[in-house]
Amino acid sequence: MNEYIGMVEKSLKKYNSHSNATEPQKNLIDAMNYSLEAGGKRIRPVLVYAFCEALGGNAETAAAPAAAIEMIHTFSLIHDDLPAMDNDDFRRGKPSCHKAFGEAMAILAGDALSVLPFEVIADDTQLNADQKVMIISLLSRAVGKSGMIGGQVIDMENEEKTDITVADLENMYRRKTGELISVSCVMGCICAGVFDPDILCNAADYGFKLGLAFQVIDDILDVTSTTEELGKPVGSDAEENKTTYVTLFGVEKSREIADGLTNEAMKCLEVINDNTFLKQLTEMLLNRKN
């Protein structure tokens, strides 16, 4: 895990470094790096590396897509924290990007991090043309109106409703969280040169189940953790009148649901021979405290 995270950190510095000390957009790059370097679990890029190597691929081939998915994730967090969205002042234990650089620069930093990933993938020298096209196509869909951004819209609109069902919640989480985790797994397969439909389908399904379990655990932590442990404000779901798994089922039942989803995710890994690390990672995410 630490080895993969180290690769991610190295790539992020490489792809978003300053070209010179006096460049006019220096503040923009500083704001981008402020959020990129804030830490976090790096789960999505780790999954790209892990699936690639588990299927016999070279980690160098996964470097660009791994960095790209973390940039996309970071852009979503910058925008999610804005006053017009969740209005959160802290992210990963430090002031949110808009608190450190102002709202306008935070919006622009998020914008820049939403497009830089596609430049990084297109210019990569390790992937062939077919891999690039497939990855860019899958990633853009996972981010857009049918994916993460669409999920965020559903999340905001759900705040105005009082009749949210578990199916509604699953649909929102699948898009908002599951799409990026799922595409991370599939990109790892493509980086390894694996296009077997059965493996790709199981990798995608694993990601969706892991993503839903991840979100259920987030719902639990929002009512059981502390701001210090979580690195961001707790209790925000209740303040914003959000329907979550905890509000629908309570903490204990939500934990059982997360356990079940994790077991289902584990079954998806059976098509991969070298799946030891992926199984350990899955268990770690179920038992996380932040």
Side-chain angles (χ1 to χ4, degrees):
M1 182 76 173
N2 289 334
E3 183 179 348
Y4 286 141
I5 291 174
M7 294 178 188
V8 176
E9 306 299 343
K10 182 179 179 180
S11 293
L12 291 175
K13 286 184 172 65
K14 168 188 171 184
Y15 292 124
N16 196 46
S17 61
H18 289 282
S19 57
N20 63 71
T22 59
E23 57 193 343
Q25 71 274 36
K26 179 180 181 299
N27 286 344
L28 172 66
I29 296 172
D30 286 343
M32 294 163 71
N33 282 330
Y34 174 83
S35 292
L36 280 174
E37 296 171 2
K41 292 172 283 295
R42 308 300 198 199
I43 297 304
R44 293 156 191 80
V46 165
L47 285 168
V48 179
Y49 279 118
F51 269 87
C52 179
E53 292 202 320
L55 292 167
N58 189 317
E60 290 183 3
T61 311
I69 197 70
E70 188 63 16
M71 291 176 188
I72 293 288
H73 177 55
T74 301
F75 121 67
S76 75
L77 299 181
I78 292 173
H79 283 186
D80 212 30
D81 288 338
L82 289 167
M85 298 279 280
D86 285 350
N87 195 25
D88 283 331
D89 291 346
F90 289 92
R91 170 68 64 176
R92 293 168 175 168
K94 56 191 287 188
S96 302
C97 190
H98 70 275
K99 300 302 290 186
F101 290 87
E103 287 184 43
M105 191 60 72
I107 292 170
L108 293 170
D111 290 345
L113 285 171
S114 74
V115 294
L116 178 57
F118 299 99
E119 175 187 339
V120 166
I121 294 168
D123 292 347
D124 186 63
T125 59
Q126 300 296 319
L127 298 165
N128 63 41
D130 289 341
Q131 288 171 311
K132 290 179 182 180
V133 170
M134 194 169 182
I135 288 171
I136 288 173
S137 175
L138 290 169
L139 182 57
S140 58
R141 183 196 177 283
V143 175
K145 61 183 175 61
S146 298
M148 178 196 71
I149 294 174
Q152 289 178 321
V153 171
I154 296 170
D155 188 20
M156 289 192 301
E157 292 179 347
N158 281 353
E159 292 175 19
E160 307 299 323
K161 301 176 182 178
T162 58
D163 58 348
I164 304 299
T165 66
V166 66
D168 295 330
L169 205 56
E170 283 185 13
N171 178 49
M172 184 267 288
Y173 285 159
R174 180 182 177 89
R175 296 174 190 275
K176 184 178 178 180
T177 303
E179 286 283 358
L180 287 194
I181 292 179
S182 180
V183 80
S184 299
C185 304
V186 176
M187 289 195 303
C189 299
I190 296 169
C191 290
V194 173
F195 301 95
D196 183 309
D198 185 48
I199 293 177
L200 294 180
C201 183
N202 273 280
D205 201 28
Y206 165 84
F208 281 124
K209 293 182 186 304
L210 181 67
L212 184 52
F214 188 93
Q215 192 61 64
V216 174
I217 295 298
D218 256 11
D219 290 350
I220 294 171
L221 292 176
D222 191 66
V223 299
T224 62
S225 187
T226 65
T227 299
E228 291 71 26
E229 286 179 316
L230 209 54
K232 61 181 181 179
V234 296
S236 57
D237 290 340
E239 288 180 9
E240 296 165 13
N241 298 315
K242 286 188 177 182
T243 300
T244 69
Y245 269 81
V246 172
T247 60
L248 288 177
F249 299 106
V251 171
E252 186 175 340
K253 179 63 176 177
S254 295
R255 169 60 67 171
E256 291 177 9
I257 292 171
D259 288 343
L261 288 165
T262 300
N263 289 333
E264 292 176 19
M266 290 285 198
K267 291 179 182 177
C268 296
L269 296 175
E270 291 175 1
V271 298
I272 299 175
N273 293 328
D274 185 12
N275 60 21
T276 302
F277 171 76
L278 285 167
K279 286 187 174 181
Q280 291 172 343
L281 177 64
T282 307
E283 291 176 355
M284 182 200 78
L285 292 177
L286 178 68
N287 297 311
R288 65 192 173 92
K289 300 299 181 184
N290 57 40

